[in-house]
Amino acid sequence: MPGSQDARDVDRESDEEIVDILKGLSAQEEQKLLDILTQDKECEQNEWLPVIAFQEEILEVARAHPHSRCAGIHQLFVLKGPVDPVRLRTAWRQLQHRHDALRTVFSEKGSEWRQKVTQRTSELVIRGTAIDERTMSETVGRHRAEGFDLAGGPLARAELVLGRENTHILVLSWHHSVVDGFSLGVLWDDLCQAYNDPGDAPAPLQQGEFAQQQSARRMARAKEAALAIRSRYPKSLDGPADTRPRPHHVDLGGITLRWGIDESRKLAARADELGLTLYMVLLGTYRSALEERGLLSPDVPVWSPMSGRVSSSFSQSVGLFMNLVPVFGSIERSPEGETPILALREGCIEAFDRQDVPRSDLIDILPELPAASALFVVQNSSTGTRDLAGVQRSMPTPSGFPPAAPILEFDSPVSGLFPAALSIEFTEDNSLAGVFEYDRTRLDAATATEVTDFLSGLIYKVIAGTFPW
């Protein structure tokens, strides 16, 4: 049977030539070829759909800045136990058919991006070698360097490396235009389901349905949010807009931050005592550190990515539904009549309520709103709750890779670059790890170190109960 490229070549032949080719094939080979031709016809009949708002930004960045890091999410799993490669390959194929996002391609028509669901899938690559730190780093590094074909697809890849003594690694790679952090847990659980007990599960709502729903109401929601910001935070619109262009090649620095299990538990407990979430406490201390060093005005928002899934009907859906929202609420200078804690809490709640308002639409209506002030995220999306039958899973961080996902380049707007970003996530042992990223053209290493030192000091003050809320 010809390879995939040869199969596409066959599809371009005339009907008479195809008949001649079929005569020389076995019944099984003939059916496989007919399946390929049918899939391609189905692909051609599918309609183009509007893209989701944040997809627009990612696709624009990918076009304007092809060297950026916004292309993919890469997951590394260590699997200990008897993995059946054939079952896993079948499960991988079923996963791609279950979620349209994994079979989506993109096209630019004029100034607009469109998406279409195809029948194109990728096969699980299987190879064998010794499993060690070097193998892990090299495999993930190769996936990061390979990139994706947005117009041709597929936008999902998988590789299983079989090792000795039932220790293997699995690398899953997704283009970020079709998968967000929330999707990762859904994908892993569905992969396990297809591996352990394949069957017909109810189909989830698809990415295209979300895109159509958002397209119908996005401008109305943006106008509503803009009116609220003008009314409640007028000082945030007083200064000139940041028009610094986004560089073609960025020069980013990074500082790793870690808090142990005991410290993380005490921090969460202190947040409960204050009536705050851990997200709010970490955001408040991050803001204070930036304001202390003169890197952020108290009136300016910190931008933060949120899932964008405002309806529970999309809880089992896969796609890029996320959005970046401005979060107000300085604890250094609260609005008149409000305590610092109240200002912080209210600012976060307002942001959660407007997480369906596309950043690009909000900036279009409020061009004076600082679009690249500072960036913050707590990476708390699920990594899944299931396991492959008889297999124990872990997710180590290869050497040379940051403990938390870098976000500065990916989440910056198309026209600019945030000067600084803080990304924090829980590790496997429930301790906290993070990375403070910064643009070296605007922050030197000494200033970045001062920010992280001050931030760490504030965290310990919160734990000790001496932070001046």
Side-chain angles (χ1 to χ4, degrees), residues 82 96 233 242 440 452:
Q96 295 172 84
Y233 303 104
D242 185 359
R440 284 196 175 103
T452 54

Side-chain angles (χ1 to χ4, degrees), residues 21 36 39 72 95 102 133 145 203 217 256 260 350 353 365 419 422 430:
I21 292 173
I36 291 173
Q39 288 177 357
L95 182 71
L102 306 184
E133 188 75 22
R217 63 194 301 265
T256 298
E350 289 171 355
D353 286 343
I365 298 174
L422 177 63
N430 284 324

Side-chain angles (χ1 to χ4, degrees), residues 22-52:
L22 292 177
K23 289 179 181 179
L25 300 177
S26 67
Q28 184 178 13
E29 290 173 330
E30 178 180 339
Q31 185 58 52
K32 287 184 178 179
L33 180 57
L34 289 174
D35 287 344
I36 291 173
L37 299 179
T38 301
Q39 288 177 357
D40 284 345
K41 289 177 182 178
E42 291 175 357
C43 172
E44 293 172 0
Q45 294 170 357
N46 284 337
E47 62 177 307
W48 289 97
L49 300 171
V51 298
I52 296 168

Side-chain angles (χ1 to χ4, degrees), residues 366-404:
L366 294 177
E368 64 271 40
L369 182 67
S373 49
L375 187 60
F376 173 75
V377 60
V378 174
Q379 305 272 4
N380 58 356
S381 55
S382 171
T383 55
T385 59
R386 299 182 180 179
D387 286 307
L388 302 175
V391 178
Q392 182 181 0
R393 171 188 64 149
S394 61
M395 299 180 66
T397 300
S399 60
F401 291 83

Side-chain angles (χ1 to χ4, degrees), residues 309-325:
R309 287 169 167 81
V310 294
S311 170
S312 60
S313 60
F314 288 100
S315 62
Q316 298 303 309
S317 301
V318 166
L320 183 68
F321 304 161
M322 65 169 282
N323 181 40
L324 263 79
V325 296

Side-chain angles (χ1 to χ4, degrees), residues 54-62 65 67-73 174-181 246 250 252 305-306 319-324 359 375 377 379 405-414 416-418 421 423 437:
F54 200 69
Q55 285 178 323
E56 290 177 335
E57 295 199 44
I58 297 307
L59 295 168
E60 287 290 327
V61 171
H65 307 280
H67 301 285
S68 67
R69 297 188 304 195
C70 69
I73 301 176
W174 330 89
H175 195 280
H176 222 324
S177 61
V178 295
V179 170
D180 57 18
R246 184 174 180 141
V250 296
L252 303 180
M306 297 184 184
L320 183 68
F321 304 161
M322 65 169 282
N323 181 40
L324 263 79
R359 171 174 63 179
L375 187 60
V377 60
Q379 305 272 4
I407 61 169
L408 192 153
E409 188 174 358
F410 170 68
D411 285 330
S412 289
V414 177
L417 187 71
F418 287 103
S423 176
E437 292 182 282

Side-chain angles (χ1 to χ4, degrees), residues 26 144 203 227 331 339 341-343 351 366:
S26 67
R144 293 180 68 178
L227 182 63
I331 59 178
T339 65
I341 283 184
L342 180 60
L366 294 177

